[in-house]
Amino acid sequence: MESPFKGDILKGKVALLTGGGSGIGFEISLQLGKHGASIAIMGRRRNVLDSAVASLHSLGIPAIGFEGDVRKREDAMRVLESTVKHFGRLDILVNAAAGNFLVPAEDLSPNGFRTVIDIDSVGTFTMCHEALKYLKKGGPGREPSSGGTIINISATLHYTASWYQIHVSAAKAAVDSITRSLALEWGTDYDIRVNGIAPGPIDDTAGVSKLAPEEIMSKERQNMPLFKLGEKWDIAMATIYLVSDAGKYVNGTTLVVDGGLWLSKPRSLPKEAVKKLSRAVEKRSRDVGIPKSKL
Ligand code: COA
């Protein structure tokens, strides 16, 4: 679909995206780039980074990929420093890296719970914390009175309660809280706007294949408000709204982009099917990685 925003709305801006090499993160990289931004992507898999950067280059978008794990503070510091060294400044940080799998709480080990909290919540805080010196007003390459902006990708799972996602619900609740606290403190002190986006089920993503697979969700899909899955494009457009001047008075909010789905009551999922699928899907994604067609 054609973007409703002007093509140069982000001209001169530099964005760093964690998890920006695949899925929703890649679509955000692509659309920010198409609207004038230079793109740095941080991710764990070199092959995913290389293929994402090649796609962006083929469209004439300045882009670079850095290997790194948001769970490691030294990786966060190195990638942020390298981004600013390469592009001269940082205007936009998008925290899109996340870990997830569907599992009944009774089968989830404390380490499994901690792993997702470490990636989603602590990883988001770490990236924000280490990015502060670049994003604050007067930071390197920045105007003395204008700060940058942060987008934290969240979810709607914790607005009610979600079946078999206790770890992600807890992690994203923390992410939303981080968004609000930083918006308050850093908006006031440093002119940095911090917002979130909570996507619903988005077609052609690892999120949907892992968390709402056809085998388990086919009946649910018929009951969705708007009767359809979202597109990665929907999340990218919400991002452009929030990071551009279109959203210049929006701070500390998490924008829900789910067609209204979270308003409907959570329905029970068949536990035995989830148990079987959980490990199978995880194994599949580890064995084969994310196919190029899904990037
Ligand atoms: N069901 C139950 N527990 C699981 C699991 C599953 N499907 N997958 C992983 N775990 C547990 C492991 O058993 C382990 O706990 P243990 O040591 O007590 O056994 C813990 O989680 C960590 O697993 P590990 O394989 O060491 O973690 P990792 O760092 O290699 O992988 C994940 C992290 C598990 C989140 C992995 O799914 C991932 O990296 N995903 C990134 C892509 C993604 O999911 N994106 C989100 C799309 S919505």
Side-chain angles (χ1 to χ4, degrees):
M1 253 180 99
E2 204 180 313
S3 165
F5 295 100
K6 285 186 178 161
D8 62 353
I9 192 170
L10 300 176
K11 194 173 166 202
K13 304 279 185 201
V14 175
L16 169 63
L17 299 95
T18 70
S22 61
I24 290 175
F26 178 70
E27 180 70 16
I28 300 174
S29 301
L30 178 67
Q31 294 297 341
L32 295 185
K34 281 186 172 179
H35 289 79
S38 300
I39 306 297
I41 298 175
M42 175 176 178
R44 285 184 297 167
R45 293 166 298 174
R46 187 76 251 173
N47 60 329
V48 173
L49 289 173
D50 288 346
S51 122
V53 166
S55 303
L56 297 175
H57 282 169
S58 72
L59 297 169
I61 298 168
I64 188 163
F66 297 111
E67 261 176 90
D69 187 332
V70 297
R71 289 174 284 190
K72 297 181 184 149
R73 187 178 179 193
E74 59 278 14
D75 285 10
M77 291 164 83
R78 172 179 49 78
V79 170
L80 280 153
E81 193 183 343
S82 306
T83 300
V84 173
K85 212 168 169 187
H86 188 79
F87 288 123
R89 58 189 281 158
L90 180 69
D91 301 282
I92 300 163
L93 170 66
V94 179
N95 288 302
N100 208 346
F101 44 84
L102 210 52
V103 62
E106 67 204 40
D107 293 337
L108 177 64
S109 70
N111 191 45
F113 184 88
R114 186 182 300 112
T115 298
V116 171
I117 297 278
D118 275 349
I119 299 171
D120 294 21
S121 322
V122 185
T124 293
F125 177 73
T126 303
M127 291 303 298
C128 293
H129 188 265
E130 301 312 325
L132 172 61
K133 65 179 176 188
Y134 304 110
L135 289 174
K136 67 182 179 185
K137 62 184 176 187
R142 306 201 59 78
E143 302 73 20
S145 60
S146 120
T149 179
I150 297 174
I151 299 293
N152 296 325
I153 302 298
S154 185
T156 60
L157 308 169
H158 51 292
Y159 294 177
T160 51
S162 295
W163 291 91
Y164 312 133
Q165 295 188 63
I166 189 172
H167 44 333
V168 190
S169 299
K172 296 300 193 184
V175 167
D176 288 357
S177 184
I178 289 168
T179 296
R180 287 190 292 269
S181 297
L182 293 184
L184 186 68
E185 292 190 31
W186 293 359
T188 309
D189 293 342
Y190 303 119
D191 193 54
I192 296 173
R193 289 188 301 112
V194 186
N195 290 296
I197 296 174
I202 301 295
D203 202 10
D204 194 25
T205 59
V208 159
S209 58
K210 285 175 86 169
L211 309 178
E214 192 65 44
E215 302 94 297
I216 292 179
M217 298 296 284
S218 54
K219 276 204 199 113
E220 292 300 306
R221 290 183 184 185
Q222 291 156 20
N223 296 324
M224 282 181 180
L226 303 186
F227 306 105
K228 60 190 174 197
L229 296 172
E231 295 170 31
K232 289 179 268 194
W233 185 91
D234 296 314
I235 309 304
M237 292 301 120
T239 308
I240 294 178
Y241 165 66
L242 288 172
V243 301
S244 69
D245 282 347
K248 70 182 171 47
Y249 199 53
V250 184
N251 191 25
T253 199
T254 294
L255 182 61
V256 179
V257 184
D258 79 336
L261 182 63
W262 81 271
L263 299 166
S264 68
K265 274 199 198 140
R267 279 168 239 269
S268 167
L269 300 180
K271 190 160 158 189
E272 286 316 310
V274 168
K275 277 176 177 248
K276 254 198 232 153
L277 199 83
S278 175
R279 284 292 178 183
V281 168
E282 195 53 40
K283 187 168 180 318
R284 223 159 49 211
S285 74
R286 281 199 206 157
D287 290 349
V288 300
I290 296 176
K292 271 195 182 152
S293 62
K294 302 262 170 187
L295 291 176

